[in-house]
């Protein structure tokens, strides 16, 4: 390809395949890589001295919730070296927006950090907008099951009619045909959580007719983790779809021993020919909407209905009892990370237990009262994994490392600011859980192949020049749970499509 040439001289080349790094040069021409390794560089072209620096492919965040932000000016990902993202995860995509747009907003805004203005009719509309306005990343988008379901039948729980099912199948096929990267489910979020196996089987069969991927936030990561993984493996076996289990973990200390069992199940399925893999983020805490802790049928009909139920004493009592029965967390492990109103801003950064003490209430009442006061708009960060388990998932050969990051009206999880540098620094260099080459592979070549980013993810001639130059001796993230909004250190420059982006 013709274009301006640029030489990266004397760096450590980490090519994205997991192979040992080598010293050498890298030449780009226009938006593509022209030569890698040892070659005679043409004379008289601009060069960057990369002595002491590592050069790798641009990082790919294969599980992100920046569906709205990829259209804007935000640079939190780019600063970490991310040049490509997969959005539309966990059943949440910003399309199809139908006459049920208000319900779609209620369903997704806690994850999208959105208002009531967004919405695209189809994957095609969304992707062309991203193409036109997105500045910082190449974006792949999964069609979200929850969004498809709301477009079909509104915020309604339970099995759909056969006409509704057919409509949803049509919408999914249409999304995949017009460029969606795959399909995602979020089976702990109403209304997707109420989908029977047969519904998922029909939808996964459509994915199986393509070379695209099915990603799933499974029905349960705690007490019923094993059954939830079984269900997904069975779906993949029956339909033949390519299966990606999202943010695999065992939540809550009484469930930590279950992780080993499910990893063995995944390995066995892989050995028998199921195309299965999983992903995980390099933190022991997760983050989502506080309504996640509720029995999801309490959200049947949307937030308005939940508000009515919470206002009715006998209903509220039942909700409290059922929430406590299935709660995998201790209240001291659940941090309030965002609220909608300014009146409750003072609770941001407190655990539910601390907020309850402040408010002179039981913890369960604080949780339900906050949900009532905020009309459901509360986000949480929950400390729920063991470090040993985290090490097992991160280092597993089937694992891709992802951020699962999302923006909130409050204090975000530090993964939004630090996932990728933390993997290279804290996880690989400091803890030596894996080599730097393996770490890079898990965020470049591997996700590129898994999610179909053609000509990206590797340092190879003719590949797109998405590149990160970083200092392997210092790269890391200083972002913490109490102070997350801090940029990484050690990322020197980021090139996207051959152009300096950072
Ligand atoms: Zn999820």
């Amino acid at each position: 390809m013709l274009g301006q040439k640029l030489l990266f001289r004397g760096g450590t080349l980490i090519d994205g395949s997991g192979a040992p790094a080598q010293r050498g040069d890298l030449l780009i021409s226009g938006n593509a890589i022209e030569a890698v390794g040892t070659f005679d560089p043409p004379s008289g072209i601009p060069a960057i001295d990369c002595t002491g620096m590592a050069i790798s492919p641009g990082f790919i965040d294969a599980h992100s919730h920046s569906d709205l932000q990829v259209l804007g000016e935000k640079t939190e990902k780019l600063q970490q070296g991310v040049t490509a993202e997969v959005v539309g995860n966990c059943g949440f995509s910003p399309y199809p927006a139908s006459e049920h747009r208000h319900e779609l907003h209620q369903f997704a805004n806690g994850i999208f950090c959105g208002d009531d203005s967004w919405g695209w009719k189809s994957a095609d509309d969304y992707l062309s907008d991203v193409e036109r306005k997105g500045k910082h990343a190449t974006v792949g988008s999964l069609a979200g099951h929850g969004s498809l379901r709301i477009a079909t039948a509104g915020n309604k729980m339970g099995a759909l009619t056969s006409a509704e099912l057919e409509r949803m199948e049509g919408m999914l096929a249409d999304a995949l045909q017009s460029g969606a990267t795959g399909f995602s489910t979020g089976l702990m979020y109403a209304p997707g959580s109420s989908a029977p196996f047969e519904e998922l089987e029909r939808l996964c069969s459509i994915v199986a007719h393509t070379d695209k991927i099915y990603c799933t936030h499974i029905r349960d990561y705690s007490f019923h983790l094993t059954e939830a993984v079984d269900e997904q493996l069975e779906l993949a076996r029956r339909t033949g779809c390519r299966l990606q289990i999202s943010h695999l973990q065992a939540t809550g200390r009484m469930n930590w021993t279950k992780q080993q069992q499910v990893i063995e199940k995944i390995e066995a399925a892989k050995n028998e020919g199921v195309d299965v893999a999983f992903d995980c983020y390099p933190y022991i805490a997760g983050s989502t909407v506080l309504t996640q802790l509720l029995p999801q049928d309490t959200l049947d009909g949307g937030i308005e209905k939940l508000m009515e139920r919470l206002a009715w004493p006998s209903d509220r009592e039942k909700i409290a009892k059922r929430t406590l029965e299935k709660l995998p967390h201790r209240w001291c492990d659940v941090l309030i990370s965002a609220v909608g109103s300014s009146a409750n801003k003072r609770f941001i950064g407190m655990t539910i237990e601390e907020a309850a003490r402040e408010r002179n209430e039981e913890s369960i009442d604080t949780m339900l009262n906050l949900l009532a006061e905020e009309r459901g708009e509360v986000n949480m960060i929950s400390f729920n994994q063991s470090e040993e388990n985290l090490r097992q998932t991160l280092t597993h050969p089937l694992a891709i490392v992802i951020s699962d990051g999302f923006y909130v009206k409050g204090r975000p999880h530090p993964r939004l600011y630090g996932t990728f540098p933390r993997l290279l620094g804290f996880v690989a260099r400091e803890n030596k859980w894996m080599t730097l080459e393996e770490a890079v592979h898990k965020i470049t070549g591997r996700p590129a192949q898994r999610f179909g980013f053609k000509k990206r993810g590797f340092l190879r001639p003719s590949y797109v020049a998405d590149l990160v130059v970083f200092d392997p001796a210092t790269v890391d993230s200083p972002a913490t749970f109490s102070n997350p909004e801090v940029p990484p250190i050690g990322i020197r420059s980021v090139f996207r499509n051959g152009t300096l982006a950072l």
Side-chain angles (χ1 to χ4, degrees):
M1 174 168 304
L2 287 174
Q4 208 171 8
K5 290 183 196 285
L6 180 62
L7 181 68
F8 296 77
R9 188 163 27 216
T12 300
L13 303 167
I14 303 178
D15 72 0
S17 72
Q22 44 164 300
R23 287 292 306 274
D25 301 334
L26 185 138
L27 178 66
I28 67 174
S29 177
N31 66 2
I33 296 172
E34 189 173 302
V36 190
T38 313
F39 55 89
D40 282 332
S43 55
I45 56 163
I48 301 175
D49 179 14
C50 293
T51 309
M53 293 295 123
I55 306 170
S56 79
F59 305 147
I60 297 173
D61 187 357
H63 187 112
S64 150
H65 290 291
S66 300
D67 299 65
L68 304 182
Q69 292 78 15
V70 290
L71 288 139
E73 309 288 334
K74 299 258 183 214
T75 58
E76 283 76 15
K77 293 289 177 61
L78 184 67
Q79 290 185 41
Q80 298 177 59
V82 171
T83 53
E85 294 192 53
V86 180
V87 298
N89 279 287
C90 304
F92 300 94
S93 60
Y95 59 84
S98 62
E99 72 264 34
H100 300 290
R101 182 181 279 241
H102 172 63
E103 285 154 283
L104 181 63
H105 289 155
Q106 276 197 348
F107 165 65
N109 271 343
I111 298 291
F112 285 176
C113 199
D115 50 23
D116 56 7
S117 66
W118 57 269
W120 288 264
K121 275 208 319 289
S122 64
D124 198 21
D125 277 9
Y126 173 69
L127 289 166
S128 6
D129 239 17
V130 169
E131 180 84 36
R132 246 178 323 121
K133 298 182 194 155
K135 287 195 187 84
H136 301 313
T138 303
V139 176
S141 167
L142 304 164
H145 173 238
S147 302
L148 289 168
R149 216 173 195 271
I150 286 170
T152 307
N155 207 334
K156 177 179 91 176
M157 302 286 277
L160 300 180
T161 66
S162 67
E164 285 167 340
L165 263 180
E166 270 167 44
R167 277 231 310 281
M168 193 159 54
E169 286 176 313
M171 282 192 254
L172 175 58
D174 178 57
L176 295 175
Q177 235 157 43
S178 52
T181 298
F183 170 54
S184 80
T185 53
L187 300 173
M188 284 173 68
Y189 298 101
S193 56
S194 70
F197 182 86
E198 294 66 34
E199 174 179 327
L200 302 177
E201 190 179 359
R202 284 178 63 166
L203 297 168
C204 285
S205 299
I206 291 173
V207 183
H209 283 297
T210 68
D211 56 355
K212 308 210 168 181
I213 195 157
Y214 165 51
C215 302
T216 179
H217 178 132
I218 63 181
R219 267 189 224 274
D220 196 319
Y221 290 87
S222 58
F223 299 105
H224 300 288
L225 172 66
T226 318
E227 296 88 324
V229 168
D230 278 339
E231 180 186 35
Q232 298 305 319
L233 293 174
E234 186 56 23
L235 267 176
R237 274 191 200 100
R238 286 208 199 174
T239 65
C241 70
R242 304 175 59 229
L243 169 64
Q244 181 79 11
I245 298 179
S246 299
H247 40 63
L248 183 66
Q249 58 189 290
T251 301
R253 54 190 67 230
M254 57 287 259
N255 300 307
W256 286 349
T257 54
K258 296 189 172 84
Q259 183 169 295
Q260 178 60 31
Q261 297 164 29
V262 301
I263 290 213
E264 283 167 20
K265 279 170 182 284
I266 292 168
E267 287 168 349
K270 174 82 184 162
N271 287 337
E272 77 188 53
V274 176
D275 187 350
V276 57
F278 62 85
D279 46 62
C280 47
Y281 41 79
Y283 297 86
I284 56 165
S287 184
T288 185
V289 285
L290 188 63
T291 50
Q292 173 87 109
L293 299 181
L294 294 169
Q296 291 296 293
D297 58 3
T298 60
L299 287 157
D300 192 0
I303 293 294
E304 287 84 3
K305 288 283 179 216
L306 173 68
M307 293 301 111
E308 285 172 25
R309 290 177 186 119
L310 287 177
W312 195 256
S314 63
D315 277 6
R316 179 183 155 122
E317 203 172 308
K318 274 185 226 146
I319 293 173
K321 188 161 168 286
R322 291 175 60 211
T323 300
L324 287 171
E325 274 166 10
K326 65 170 210 74
L327 187 74
H329 314 288
R330 302 177 305 184
W331 292 116
C332 60
D333 292 331
V334 180
L335 205 72
I336 300 159
S337 63
V339 292
S341 79
S342 52
N344 283 326
K345 283 267 185 279
R346 65 198 177 98
F347 296 118
I348 291 177
M350 283 188 204
T351 66
I352 297 272
E353 193 176 274
E354 287 164 348
R357 212 173 300 133
E358 229 5 66
R359 294 166 59 114
N360 241 324
E361 294 168 342
E362 291 294 318
S363 292
I364 181 69
D365 290 322
T366 293
M367 176 196 156
L368 297 179
N369 288 340
L370 275 177
L371 286 174
E373 289 157 21
E374 301 297 329
R375 297 189 60 78
E377 273 186 61
V378 187
N379 291 92
M380 64 169 182
I381 291 174
S382 50
F383 291 82
N384 50 27
Q385 281 197 72
S386 80
E387 195 178 283
E388 213 177 304
N389 276 0
L390 180 63
R391 179 176 183 165
Q392 183 186 35
T393 49
L394 284 173
T395 56
H396 196 281
L398 291 176
I400 285 171
V401 179
I402 52 138
S403 79
D404 195 12
F406 63 95
Y407 292 82
V408 294
K409 293 168 183 151
R411 193 185 289 178
H413 190 301
R415 63 194 181 185
L416 182 61
Y417 289 79
T419 293
F420 300 87
R422 177 178 162 90
L423 175 71
L424 305 175
F426 178 77
V427 174
R429 185 186 62 241
E430 304 291 323
N431 284 319
K432 302 195 167 38
W433 286 0
M434 63 183 89
T435 64
L436 190 59
E437 290 90 336
E438 282 167 332
V440 168
H441 177 55
K442 284 174 183 291
I443 52 177
T444 56
R446 191 144 164 76
Q449 287 173 328
R450 191 91 189 123
F451 288 83
F453 286 99
K454 300 211 166 66
K455 292 266 175 191
R456 293 179 201 269
F458 297 92
L459 301 183
R460 284 179 188 156
S462 88
Y463 272 58
V464 177
D466 286 353
L467 304 170
V468 186
V469 180
F470 64 92
D471 183 348
T474 62
V475 65
D476 215 331
S477 166
T480 60
F481 288 94
S482 49
N483 190 21
E485 289 163 287
V486 190
I489 41 181
I491 304 286
R492 286 302 167 85
S493 51
V494 184
F495 287 76
R496 188 171 159 254
N497 295 329
T499 304
L500 182 66
L502 183 82

